[in-house]
Amino acid sequence: MNDTADLVQSWKVTLPCTRAEAEALESDIAAFSMMDRPPVLMTSEAEPDNDDSWRLEAYFEGKPSAAAVKLLRTLVPSATRIRPAIEQLPNEDWVTLSQQGLEPVTAGRFHVRNLPGDPELPGHVNFLIGASRAFGTGQHETTSGCLMMLDRMHRIGMRFRNVADIGTGTGLLAFAALRLWPRAQATASDIDPVAVEVSADNARANGVRLGAVAGQVILCMAAGADHPVITGRAPYDLLIANILAGPLIELAPSLCALVEEGGTIVLAGLLKEQADAVLAAYRAQGMRLAERSDRGDWPTLRLRKRPRIGWKRPRRINSAERGEAWGFGSI
C-alpha cells in the first residue's frame, strides 16, 4: 500500500487571502461537506506581520472541478480578481502533506498530537495520531466533538462492554473508548482499506492491543455494517458513526439493528441543517435523542434505543437492507 503507484494523484489550489479571512476558515469547510472527498484547507502567513498577506491552500484528491474552484474562491472575497494557482502535485500522499504540522488538539480529557516531538499534556489521555492517509486526527469538529461526548458519557457514569466504531478513519475514537472503558471489547471498521492499515499502525503506536477479546480492538474493512465481524459481535451497547449525513440516513436501519435495547449510538459528520433529517431516520428505528452538542456547524448526537425495540441482525432481502453505504469514509 506504500507504493507511489497506489496513491491517488493530488492537486493543490492556492489563493491569497487576508488574516481575517484565514481566521474565519477551518481545516474542513461546511460548504464542501457534501463532496465524497472534500478538500483539506490550510492557511499560512505569506509575509510575517502583514495581515493582508496570507495564503489559502486547498488539497484535493484528484483534479478539482471548476465548480469546486469557484466555491473555494467564495471563501476569500479579497482574491475575487486574482487567478488561483492550480497545480498537480507529485505522487505523494496528499492527506499526509496537508496534515503536516497540525497543532495538537485537546477535547475533554483527551489530548491528540500530530508529531512525535509534540509534548504530552499531563493529566490527560494522550494519543499520537500522526499525519496519515486517513482522516480522523482530532482536528475536525466532528472528531473532537465525539471525543468530548465520550468523555462526558464517562463522567456521568455510563459504562459499556461492547463498542463499535463504524467509519473509524485513524482508529482514534475506538482507541478513546477503550481508554475510558478498558474492560470493553471494540470493533472498528472503515470502507477504505488504507484507513484500516493506518488504524493498525496507530494502535501499535499508542499501545492499543489488537484482538477480539476484552480490552482489545478488532479491525475490518466494510461498507457500513455489512461484514460478518460486525454483525457477529453484535449486539453493541455503544456504536459510534462519524461519517456523513447521507450514509448515516441510509445506514440507520442496519446500525440501529446492531444496538441492544437501551444501547447508545453517537452520530457525527452531519451539519446543523441536516440534523433533523438524520434524527428522523433514527427515531423511525426506535431511537430517541438523549443529548446534542454543537461545535460550530457540526452537531454530535447521542441517541438511546428504546427498550421496546428488540435487537435483530440486519436482514439481507435486498440491497437497501444490506447495511451498505458506498462512497463514504470517516471524517
Side-chain angles (χ1 to χ4, degrees), residues 13-62:
V13 180
T14 305
L15 278 166
C17 65
T18 66
R19 179 174 180 174
E21 290 169 338
E23 290 177 346
L25 299 174
E26 295 168 347
S27 57
D28 291 275
I29 295 299
F32 291 98
S33 64
M34 299 308 294
M35 294 177 59
D36 289 339
R37 290 292 187 182
V40 173
L41 307 183
M42 305 293 290
T43 57
S44 59
E45 292 179 283
E47 297 178 20
D49 302 321
N50 185 346
D51 286 353
D52 291 324
S53 185
W54 282 59
R55 70 170 64 92
L56 166 64
E57 295 174 319
Y59 292 84
F60 288 84
E61 182 177 347

mmCIF file of all heavy atoms in Angstrom, residues 13-62:
data_model
loop_
_atom_site.group_PDB
_atom_site.id
_atom_site.type_symbol
_atom_site.label_atom_id
_atom_site.label_comp_id
_atom_site.label_asym_id
_atom_site.label_seq_id
_atom_site.Cartn_x
_atom_site.Cartn_y
_atom_site.Cartn_z
ATOM 1 N N VAL A 13 -4.748 23.914 -4.898
ATOM 2 C CA VAL A 13 -5.205 25.220 -5.377
ATOM 3 C C VAL A 13 -4.799 26.255 -4.342
ATOM 4 O O VAL A 13 -5.100 26.099 -3.148
ATOM 5 C CB VAL A 13 -6.733 25.246 -5.576
ATOM 6 C CG1 VAL A 13 -7.183 26.622 -6.066
ATOM 7 C CG2 VAL A 13 -7.163 24.154 -6.556
ATOM 8 N N THR A 14 -4.114 27.302 -4.783
ATOM 9 C CA THR A 14 -3.616 28.331 -3.876
ATOM 10 C C THR A 14 -4.215 29.688 -4.232
ATOM 11 O O THR A 14 -4.257 30.065 -5.408
ATOM 12 C CB THR A 14 -2.075 28.421 -3.937
ATOM 13 O OG1 THR A 14 -1.517 27.134 -3.669
ATOM 14 C CG2 THR A 14 -1.552 29.414 -2.920
ATOM 15 N N LEU A 15 -4.674 30.389 -3.211
ATOM 16 C CA LEU A 15 -5.215 31.734 -3.376
ATOM 17 C C LEU A 15 -4.698 32.623 -2.250
ATOM 18 O O LEU A 15 -4.539 32.153 -1.115
ATOM 19 C CB LEU A 15 -6.745 31.718 -3.318
ATOM 20 C CG LEU A 15 -7.510 31.340 -4.590
ATOM 21 C CD1 LEU A 15 -8.956 31.042 -4.254
ATOM 22 C CD2 LEU A 15 -7.407 32.454 -5.621
ATOM 23 N N PRO A 16 -4.422 33.884 -2.545
ATOM 24 C CA PRO A 16 -4.067 34.799 -1.459
ATOM 25 C C PRO A 16 -5.309 35.139 -0.635
ATOM 26 O O PRO A 16 -6.442 35.052 -1.121
ATOM 27 C CB PRO A 16 -3.531 36.028 -2.184
ATOM 28 C CG PRO A 16 -4.236 36.007 -3.502
ATOM 29 C CD PRO A 16 -4.420 34.558 -3.859
ATOM 30 N N CYS A 17 -5.099 35.521 0.612
ATOM 31 C CA CYS A 17 -6.213 35.919 1.467
ATOM 32 C C CYS A 17 -5.688 36.842 2.555
ATOM 33 O O CYS A 17 -4.474 37.021 2.714
ATOM 34 C CB CYS A 17 -6.909 34.707 2.082
ATOM 35 S SG CYS A 17 -5.891 33.739 3.219
ATOM 36 N N THR A 18 -6.590 37.422 3.295
ATOM 37 C CA THR A 18 -6.204 38.247 4.433
ATOM 38 C C THR A 18 -6.191 37.396 5.691
ATOM 39 O O THR A 18 -6.713 36.272 5.720
ATOM 40 C CB THR A 18 -7.195 39.406 4.619
ATOM 41 O OG1 THR A 18 -8.472 38.859 4.990
ATOM 42 C CG2 THR A 18 -7.341 40.225 3.339
ATOM 43 N N ARG A 19 -5.599 37.944 6.731
ATOM 44 C CA ARG A 19 -5.579 37.212 8.002
ATOM 45 C C ARG A 19 -6.999 37.006 8.521
ATOM 46 O O ARG A 19 -7.313 35.919 9.054
ATOM 47 C CB ARG A 19 -4.752 37.982 9.031
ATOM 48 C CG ARG A 19 -4.707 37.305 10.393
ATOM 49 C CD ARG A 19 -3.774 38.004 11.338
ATOM 50 N NE ARG A 19 -3.738 37.341 12.634
ATOM 51 C CZ ARG A 19 -2.916 37.682 13.616
ATOM 52 N NH1 ARG A 19 -2.065 38.672 13.468
ATOM 53 N NH2 ARG A 19 -2.937 37.015 14.764
ATOM 54 N N ALA A 20 -7.857 38.004 8.374
ATOM 55 C CA ALA A 20 -9.241 37.868 8.838
ATOM 56 C C ALA A 20 -9.951 36.735 8.111
ATOM 57 O O ALA A 20 -10.696 35.950 8.726
ATOM 58 C CB ALA A 20 -9.989 39.179 8.644
ATOM 59 N N GLU A 21 -9.714 36.621 6.804
ATOM 60 C CA GLU A 21 -10.329 35.531 6.048
ATOM 61 C C GLU A 21 -9.758 34.186 6.495
ATOM 62 O O GLU A 21 -10.495 33.194 6.605
ATOM 63 C CB GLU A 21 -10.092 35.742 4.559
ATOM 64 C CG GLU A 21 -10.884 36.916 3.978
ATOM 65 C CD GLU A 21 -10.456 37.278 2.574
ATOM 66 O OE1 GLU A 21 -9.311 36.944 2.190
ATOM 67 O OE2 GLU A 21 -11.260 37.903 1.861
ATOM 68 N N ALA A 22 -8.455 34.142 6.752
ATOM 69 C CA ALA A 22 -7.824 32.897 7.191
ATOM 70 C C ALA A 22 -8.390 32.444 8.528
ATOM 71 O O ALA A 22 -8.653 31.253 8.743
ATOM 72 C CB ALA A 22 -6.309 33.081 7.290
ATOM 73 N N GLU A 23 -8.598 33.386 9.438
ATOM 74 C CA GLU A 23 -9.110 33.028 10.756
ATOM 75 C C GLU A 23 -10.562 32.581 10.696
ATOM 76 O O GLU A 23 -11.035 31.866 11.594
ATOM 77 C CB GLU A 23 -8.958 34.210 11.705
ATOM 78 C CG GLU A 23 -7.497 34.499 12.071
ATOM 79 C CD GLU A 23 -7.341 35.716 12.963
ATOM 80 O OE1 GLU A 23 -8.324 36.494 13.075
ATOM 81 O OE2 GLU A 23 -6.250 35.887 13.540
ATOM 82 N N ALA A 24 -11.272 33.004 9.655
ATOM 83 C CA ALA A 24 -12.666 32.590 9.503
ATOM 84 C C ALA A 24 -12.786 31.178 8.939
ATOM 85 O O ALA A 24 -13.854 30.565 9.001
ATOM 86 C CB ALA A 24 -13.405 33.569 8.599
ATOM 87 N N LEU A 25 -11.684 30.671 8.395
ATOM 88 C CA LEU A 25 -11.685 29.332 7.815
ATOM 89 C C LEU A 25 -11.294 28.318 8.870
ATOM 90 O O LEU A 25 -10.643 28.615 9.864
ATOM 91 C CB LEU A 25 -10.699 29.258 6.639
ATOM 92 C CG LEU A 25 -10.991 30.189 5.459
ATOM 93 C CD1 LEU A 25 -9.856 30.106 4.463
ATOM 94 C CD2 LEU A 25 -12.303 29.810 4.810
ATOM 95 N N GLU A 26 -11.679 27.056 8.636
ATOM 96 C CA GLU A 26 -11.305 25.952 9.497
ATOM 97 C C GLU A 26 -10.740 24.853 8.616
ATOM 98 O O GLU A 26 -10.812 24.907 7.401
ATOM 99 C CB GLU A 26 -12.508 25.479 10.307
ATOM 100 C CG GLU A 26 -12.992 26.567 11.271
ATOM 101 C CD GLU A 26 -14.347 26.240 11.868
ATOM 102 O OE1 GLU A 26 -15.006 25.324 11.361
ATOM 103 O OE2 GLU A 26 -14.738 26.926 12.827
ATOM 104 N N SER A 27 -10.184 23.807 9.243
ATOM 105 C CA SER A 27 -9.484 22.781 8.470
ATOM 106 C C SER A 27 -10.376 22.105 7.440
ATOM 107 O O SER A 27 -9.916 21.645 6.416
ATOM 108 C CB SER A 27 -8.899 21.729 9.416
ATOM 109 O OG SER A 27 -9.921 21.161 10.201
ATOM 110 N N ASP A 28 -11.663 22.002 7.703
ATOM 111 C CA ASP A 28 -12.610 21.484 6.729
ATOM 112 C C ASP A 28 -13.810 22.425 6.733
ATOM 113 O O ASP A 28 -14.303 22.798 7.779
ATOM 114 C CB ASP A 28 -13.049 20.060 7.065
ATOM 115 C CG ASP A 28 -11.920 19.077 6.894
ATOM 116 O OD1 ASP A 28 -11.701 18.609 5.772
ATOM 117 O OD2 ASP A 28 -11.265 18.785 7.893
ATOM 118 N N ILE A 29 -14.319 22.799 5.558
ATOM 119 C CA ILE A 29 -15.349 23.812 5.450
ATOM 120 C C ILE A 29 -16.694 23.166 5.144
ATOM 121 O O ILE A 29 -16.802 22.275 4.302
ATOM 122 C CB ILE A 29 -14.977 24.817 4.346
ATOM 123 C CG1 ILE A 29 -13.709 25.574 4.768
ATOM 124 C CG2 ILE A 29 -16.099 25.797 4.075
ATOM 125 C CD1 ILE A 29 -13.870 26.376 6.039
ATOM 126 N N ALA A 30 -17.733 23.660 5.836
ATOM 127 C CA ALA A 30 -19.068 23.092 5.673
ATOM 128 C C ALA A 30 -19.520 23.130 4.218
ATOM 129 O O ALA A 30 -20.262 22.256 3.763
ATOM 130 C CB ALA A 30 -20.054 23.844 6.560
ATOM 131 N N ALA A 31 -19.083 24.135 3.464
ATOM 132 C CA ALA A 31 -19.510 24.267 2.075
ATOM 133 C C ALA A 31 -19.124 23.060 1.230
ATOM 134 O O ALA A 31 -19.764 22.772 0.220
ATOM 135 C CB ALA A 31 -18.907 25.539 1.480
ATOM 136 N N PHE A 32 -18.073 22.344 1.619
ATOM 137 C CA PHE A 32 -17.604 21.201 0.847
ATOM 138 C C PHE A 32 -18.097 19.872 1.420
ATOM 139 O O PHE A 32 -17.695 18.810 0.958
ATOM 140 C CB PHE A 32 -16.073 21.173 0.816
ATOM 141 C CG PHE A 32 -15.451 22.284 0.007
ATOM 142 C CD1 PHE A 32 -14.987 23.427 0.626
ATOM 143 C CD2 PHE A 32 -15.340 22.183 -1.367
ATOM 144 C CE1 PHE A 32 -14.405 24.454 -0.105
ATOM 145 C CE2 PHE A 32 -14.762 23.198 -2.109
ATOM 146 C CZ PHE A 32 -14.299 24.335 -1.478
ATOM 147 N N SER A 33 -18.955 19.908 2.442
ATOM 148 C CA SER A 33 -19.265 18.698 3.206
ATOM 149 C C SER A 33 -19.984 17.626 2.398
ATOM 150 O O SER A 33 -19.941 16.449 2.750
ATOM 151 C CB SER A 33 -20.101 19.052 4.433
ATOM 152 O OG SER A 33 -21.347 19.588 4.032
ATOM 153 N N MET A 34 -20.675 17.993 1.317
ATOM 154 C CA MET A 34 -21.411 17.005 0.538
ATOM 155 C C MET A 34 -20.532 16.290 -0.482
ATOM 156 O O MET A 34 -20.986 15.351 -1.135
ATOM 157 C CB MET A 34 -22.590 17.670 -0.168
ATOM 158 C CG MET A 34 -23.596 18.308 0.784
ATOM 159 S SD MET A 34 -24.161 17.172 2.097
ATOM 160 C CE MET A 34 -25.044 15.959 1.108
ATOM 161 N N MET A 35 -19.267 16.712 -0.623
ATOM 162 C CA MET A 35 -18.355 16.026 -1.530
ATOM 163 C C MET A 35 -17.903 14.714 -0.920
ATOM 164 O O MET A 35 -17.728 14.600 0.285
ATOM 165 C CB MET A 35 -17.137 16.912 -1.829
ATOM 166 C CG MET A 35 -17.456 18.176 -2.604
ATOM 167 S SD MET A 35 -15.991 19.244 -2.848
ATOM 168 C CE MET A 35 -14.899 18.113 -3.733
ATOM 169 N N ASP A 36 -17.734 13.673 -1.761
ATOM 170 C CA ASP A 36 -17.245 12.396 -1.267
ATOM 171 C C ASP A 36 -15.866 12.549 -0.642
ATOM 172 O O ASP A 36 -15.561 11.939 0.386
ATOM 173 C CB ASP A 36 -17.188 11.365 -2.406
ATOM 174 C CG ASP A 36 -18.571 10.915 -2.841
ATOM 175 O OD1 ASP A 36 -19.518 11.069 -2.041
ATOM 176 O OD2 ASP A 36 -18.702 10.421 -3.976
ATOM 177 N N ARG A 37 -15.016 13.358 -1.282
ATOM 178 C CA ARG A 37 -13.669 13.601 -0.769
ATOM 179 C C ARG A 37 -13.446 15.107 -0.703
ATOM 180 O O ARG A 37 -12.901 15.710 -1.625
ATOM 181 C CB ARG A 37 -12.613 12.937 -1.659
ATOM 182 C CG ARG A 37 -12.604 11.421 -1.602
ATOM 183 C CD ARG A 37 -12.150 10.916 -0.242
ATOM 184 N NE ARG A 37 -11.977 9.475 -0.208
ATOM 185 C CZ ARG A 37 -11.632 8.790 0.868
ATOM 186 N NH1 ARG A 37 -11.439 9.432 1.998
ATOM 187 N NH2 ARG A 37 -11.496 7.482 0.831
ATOM 188 N N PRO A 38 -13.901 15.745 0.351
ATOM 189 C CA PRO A 38 -13.740 17.200 0.436
ATOM 190 C C PRO A 38 -12.272 17.573 0.542
ATOM 191 O O PRO A 38 -11.454 16.788 1.032
ATOM 192 C CB PRO A 38 -14.495 17.573 1.717
ATOM 193 C CG PRO A 38 -14.512 16.321 2.519
ATOM 194 C CD PRO A 38 -14.574 15.191 1.535
ATOM 195 N N PRO A 39 -11.911 18.766 0.077
ATOM 196 C CA PRO A 39 -10.510 19.187 0.184
ATOM 197 C C PRO A 39 -10.124 19.479 1.618
ATOM 198 O O PRO A 39 -10.974 19.744 2.475
ATOM 199 C CB PRO A 39 -10.480 20.471 -0.667
ATOM 200 C CG PRO A 39 -11.865 21.025 -0.541
ATOM 201 C CD PRO A 39 -12.768 19.825 -0.516
ATOM 202 N N VAL A 40 -8.841 19.418 1.869
ATOM 203 C CA VAL A 40 -8.291 19.856 3.154
ATOM 204 C C VAL A 40 -7.745 21.263 2.954
ATOM 205 O O VAL A 40 -6.958 21.506 2.044
ATOM 206 C CB VAL A 40 -7.184 18.911 3.644
ATOM 207 C CG1 VAL A 40 -6.514 19.471 4.895
ATOM 208 C CG2 VAL A 40 -7.763 17.534 3.936
ATOM 209 N N LEU A 41 -8.176 22.199 3.779
ATOM 210 C CA LEU A 41 -7.804 23.602 3.631
ATOM 211 C C LEU A 41 -6.778 23.988 4.678
ATOM 212 O O LEU A 41 -6.928 23.683 5.854
ATOM 213 C CB LEU A 41 -9.035 24.503 3.769
ATOM 214 C CG LEU A 41 -10.237 24.167 2.870
ATOM 215 C CD1 LEU A 41 -11.342 25.200 3.066
ATOM 216 C CD2 LEU A 41 -9.829 24.082 1.409
ATOM 217 N N MET A 42 -5.721 24.653 4.238
ATOM 218 C CA MET A 42 -4.658 25.111 5.124
ATOM 219 C C MET A 42 -4.384 26.581 4.843
ATOM 220 O O MET A 42 -4.365 27.012 3.685
ATOM 221 C CB MET A 42 -3.367 24.300 4.903
ATOM 222 C CG MET A 42 -3.540 22.790 5.037
ATOM 223 S SD MET A 42 -3.920 22.262 6.718
ATOM 224 C CE MET A 42 -2.358 22.588 7.533
ATOM 225 N N THR A 43 -4.195 27.367 5.888
ATOM 226 C CA THR A 43 -3.838 28.779 5.727
ATOM 227 C C THR A 43 -2.504 29.040 6.408
ATOM 228 O O THR A 43 -2.154 28.384 7.391
ATOM 229 C CB THR A 43 -4.911 29.708 6.323
ATOM 230 O OG1 THR A 43 -5.096 29.391 7.715
ATOM 231 C CG2 THR A 43 -6.235 29.556 5.599
ATOM 232 N N SER A 44 -1.764 30.013 5.874
ATOM 233 C CA SER A 44 -0.459 30.354 6.445
ATOM 234 C C SER A 44 -0.101 31.785 6.065
ATOM 235 O O SER A 44 -0.668 32.363 5.132
ATOM 236 C CB SER A 44 0.624 29.393 5.945
ATOM 237 O OG SER A 44 0.720 29.441 4.526
ATOM 238 N N GLU A 45 0.851 32.346 6.791
ATOM 239 C CA GLU A 45 1.328 33.694 6.503
ATOM 240 C C GLU A 45 2.217 33.687 5.261
ATOM 241 O O GLU A 45 3.156 32.896 5.173
ATOM 242 C CB GLU A 45 2.121 34.249 7.673
ATOM 243 C CG GLU A 45 1.304 34.529 8.923
ATOM 244 C CD GLU A 45 2.190 35.061 10.032
ATOM 245 O OE1 GLU A 45 2.889 34.244 10.645
ATOM 246 O OE2 GLU A 45 2.181 36.283 10.278
ATOM 247 N N ALA A 46 1.934 34.556 4.321
ATOM 248 C CA ALA A 46 2.829 34.737 3.177
ATOM 249 C C ALA A 46 3.945 35.702 3.525
ATOM 250 O O ALA A 46 5.089 35.531 3.096
ATOM 251 C CB ALA A 46 2.048 35.235 1.957
ATOM 252 N N GLU A 47 3.613 36.718 4.315
ATOM 253 C CA GLU A 47 4.589 37.688 4.792
ATOM 254 C C GLU A 47 4.359 37.908 6.285
ATOM 255 O O GLU A 47 3.273 38.348 6.674
ATOM 256 C CB GLU A 47 4.451 39.024 4.049
ATOM 257 C CG GLU A 47 4.714 38.951 2.568
ATOM 258 C CD GLU A 47 4.512 40.297 1.899
ATOM 259 O OE1 GLU A 47 4.548 41.326 2.625
ATOM 260 O OE2 GLU A 47 4.298 40.339 0.674
ATOM 261 N N PRO A 48 5.341 37.599 7.109
ATOM 262 C CA PRO A 48 5.162 37.782 8.549
ATOM 263 C C PRO A 48 4.767 39.214 8.889
ATOM 264 O O PRO A 48 5.265 40.175 8.308
ATOM 265 C CB PRO A 48 6.540 37.425 9.117
ATOM 266 C CG PRO A 48 7.172 36.555 8.085
ATOM 267 C CD PRO A 48 6.658 37.053 6.768
ATOM 268 N N ASP A 49 3.850 39.320 9.845
ATOM 269 C CA ASP A 49 3.417 40.622 10.374
ATOM 270 C C ASP A 49 2.654 41.466 9.357
ATOM 271 O O ASP A 49 2.480 42.672 9.554
ATOM 272 C CB ASP A 49 4.610 41.425 10.908
ATOM 273 C CG ASP A 49 5.351 40.674 11.997
ATOM 274 O OD1 ASP A 49 4.674 40.025 12.823
ATOM 275 O OD2 ASP A 49 6.587 40.739 12.012
ATOM 276 N N ASN A 50 2.209 40.854 8.251
ATOM 277 C CA ASN A 50 1.405 41.570 7.274
ATOM 278 C C ASN A 50 0.035 40.910 7.226
ATOM 279 O O ASN A 50 -0.139 39.843 6.629
ATOM 280 C CB ASN A 50 2.067 41.546 5.895
ATOM 281 C CG ASN A 50 1.308 42.383 4.877
ATOM 282 O OD1 ASN A 50 0.172 42.776 5.097
ATOM 283 N ND2 ASN A 50 1.950 42.643 3.743
ATOM 284 N N ASP A 51 -0.959 41.560 7.861
ATOM 285 C CA ASP A 51 -2.274 40.952 7.975
ATOM 286 C C ASP A 51 -2.967 40.762 6.646
ATOM 287 O O ASP A 51 -3.904 39.968 6.530
ATOM 288 C CB ASP A 51 -3.169 41.794 8.891
ATOM 289 C CG ASP A 51 -2.785 41.657 10.353
ATOM 290 O OD1 ASP A 51 -1.915 40.810 10.642
ATOM 291 O OD2 ASP A 51 -3.347 42.386 11.193
ATOM 292 N N ASP A 52 -2.535 41.487 5.627
ATOM 293 C CA ASP A 52 -3.171 41.370 4.322
ATOM 294 C C ASP A 52 -2.426 40.440 3.382
ATOM 295 O O ASP A 52 -2.737 40.376 2.194
ATOM 296 C CB ASP A 52 -3.293 42.748 3.675
ATOM 297 C CG ASP A 52 -4.297 43.627 4.400
ATOM 298 O OD1 ASP A 52 -5.312 43.078 4.871
ATOM 299 O OD2 ASP A 52 -4.071 44.847 4.507
ATOM 300 N N SER A 53 -1.446 39.717 3.903
ATOM 301 C CA SER A 53 -0.651 38.833 3.060
ATOM 302 C C SER A 53 -0.600 37.423 3.662
ATOM 303 O O SER A 53 0.369 37.018 4.286
ATOM 304 C CB SER A 53 0.779 39.383 2.885
ATOM 305 O OG SER A 53 1.510 38.578 1.981
ATOM 306 N N TRP A 54 -1.703 36.716 3.476
ATOM 307 C CA TRP A 54 -1.816 35.321 3.876
ATOM 308 C C TRP A 54 -2.141 34.499 2.637
ATOM 309 O O TRP A 54 -2.411 35.049 1.564
ATOM 310 C CB TRP A 54 -2.919 35.140 4.931
ATOM 311 C CG TRP A 54 -2.478 35.557 6.316
ATOM 312 C CD1 TRP A 54 -2.040 36.792 6.707
ATOM 313 C CD2 TRP A 54 -2.443 34.731 7.472
ATOM 314 N NE1 TRP A 54 -1.736 36.797 8.039
ATOM 315 C CE2 TRP A 54 -1.976 35.545 8.544
ATOM 316 C CE3 TRP A 54 -2.764 33.406 7.739
ATOM 317 C CZ2 TRP A 54 -1.822 35.064 9.842
ATOM 318 C CZ3 TRP A 54 -2.618 32.918 9.023
ATOM 319 C CH2 TRP A 54 -2.143 33.739 10.057
ATOM 320 N N ARG A 55 -2.108 33.184 2.766
ATOM 321 C CA ARG A 55 -2.455 32.333 1.628
ATOM 322 C C ARG A 55 -3.363 31.199 2.092
ATOM 323 O O ARG A 55 -3.280 30.720 3.226
ATOM 324 C CB ARG A 55 -1.198 31.764 0.959
ATOM 325 C CG ARG A 55 -0.465 30.739 1.757
ATOM 326 C CD ARG A 55 0.629 30.044 0.938
ATOM 327 N NE ARG A 55 1.672 30.984 0.547
ATOM 328 C CZ ARG A 55 2.777 31.207 1.272
ATOM 329 N NH1 ARG A 55 2.963 30.558 2.416
ATOM 330 N NH2 ARG A 55 3.678 32.052 0.861
ATOM 331 N N LEU A 56 -4.224 30.793 1.182
ATOM 332 C CA LEU A 56 -5.087 29.628 1.381
ATOM 333 C C LEU A 56 -4.656 28.550 0.407
ATOM 334 O O LEU A 56 -4.553 28.795 -0.796
ATOM 335 C CB LEU A 56 -6.554 30.001 1.130
ATOM 336 C CG LEU A 56 -7.545 28.837 0.970
ATOM 337 C CD1 LEU A 56 -7.647 28.017 2.254
ATOM 338 C CD2 LEU A 56 -8.909 29.345 0.542
ATOM 339 N N GLU A 57 -4.381 27.360 0.930
ATOM 340 C CA GLU A 57 -4.025 26.214 0.101
ATOM 341 C C GLU A 57 -5.066 25.123 0.310
ATOM 342 O O GLU A 57 -5.364 24.742 1.445
ATOM 343 C CB GLU A 57 -2.635 25.694 0.458
ATOM 344 C CG GLU A 57 -1.515 26.691 0.167
ATOM 345 C CD GLU A 57 -0.168 26.219 0.659
ATOM 346 O OE1 GLU A 57 -0.105 25.661 1.783
ATOM 347 O OE2 GLU A 57 0.827 26.423 -0.054
ATOM 348 N N ALA A 58 -5.641 24.638 -0.790
ATOM 349 C CA ALA A 58 -6.653 23.586 -0.747
ATOM 350 C C ALA A 58 -6.099 22.344 -1.436
ATOM 351 O O ALA A 58 -5.714 22.399 -2.604
ATOM 352 C CB ALA A 58 -7.941 24.046 -1.431
ATOM 353 N N TYR A 59 -6.045 21.234 -0.708
ATOM 354 C CA TYR A 59 -5.534 19.979 -1.243
ATOM 355 C C TYR A 59 -6.714 19.103 -1.658
ATOM 356 O O TYR A 59 -7.587 18.780 -0.848
ATOM 357 C CB TYR A 59 -4.687 19.248 -0.204
ATOM 358 C CG TYR A 59 -3.389 19.954 0.119
ATOM 359 C CD1 TYR A 59 -3.350 20.992 1.057
ATOM 360 C CD2 TYR A 59 -2.207 19.584 -0.506
ATOM 361 C CE1 TYR A 59 -2.161 21.646 1.358
ATOM 362 C CE2 TYR A 59 -1.008 20.226 -0.209
ATOM 363 C CZ TYR A 59 -0.993 21.251 0.718
ATOM 364 O OH TYR A 59 0.183 21.894 1.006
ATOM 365 N N PHE A 60 -6.738 18.715 -2.932
ATOM 366 C CA PHE A 60 -7.812 17.902 -3.483
ATOM 367 C C PHE A 60 -7.277 16.517 -3.842
ATOM 368 O O PHE A 60 -6.155 16.382 -4.338
ATOM 369 C CB PHE A 60 -8.395 18.535 -4.746
ATOM 370 C CG PHE A 60 -9.230 19.764 -4.508
ATOM 371 C CD1 PHE A 60 -8.626 21.017 -4.382
ATOM 372 C CD2 PHE A 60 -10.609 19.673 -4.423
ATOM 373 C CE1 PHE A 60 -9.393 22.150 -4.177
ATOM 374 C CE2 PHE A 60 -11.381 20.803 -4.221
ATOM 375 C CZ PHE A 60 -10.778 22.045 -4.093
ATOM 376 N N GLU A 61 -8.102 15.503 -3.641
ATOM 377 C CA GLU A 61 -7.792 14.163 -4.129
ATOM 378 C C GLU A 61 -8.377 14.068 -5.534
ATOM 379 O O GLU A 61 -9.586 13.951 -5.704
ATOM 380 C CB GLU A 61 -8.399 13.097 -3.224
ATOM 381 C CG GLU A 61 -8.075 11.678 -3.661
ATOM 382 C CD GLU A 61 -8.634 10.655 -2.700
ATOM 383 O OE1 GLU A 61 -9.047 11.039 -1.599
ATOM 384 O OE2 GLU A 61 -8.663 9.472 -3.077
ATOM 385 N N GLY A 62 -7.526 14.154 -6.524
ATOM 386 C CA GLY A 62 -7.970 14.233 -7.907
ATOM 387 C C GLY A 62 -8.086 15.687 -8.348
ATOM 388 O O GLY A 62 -8.103 16.611 -7.537
#
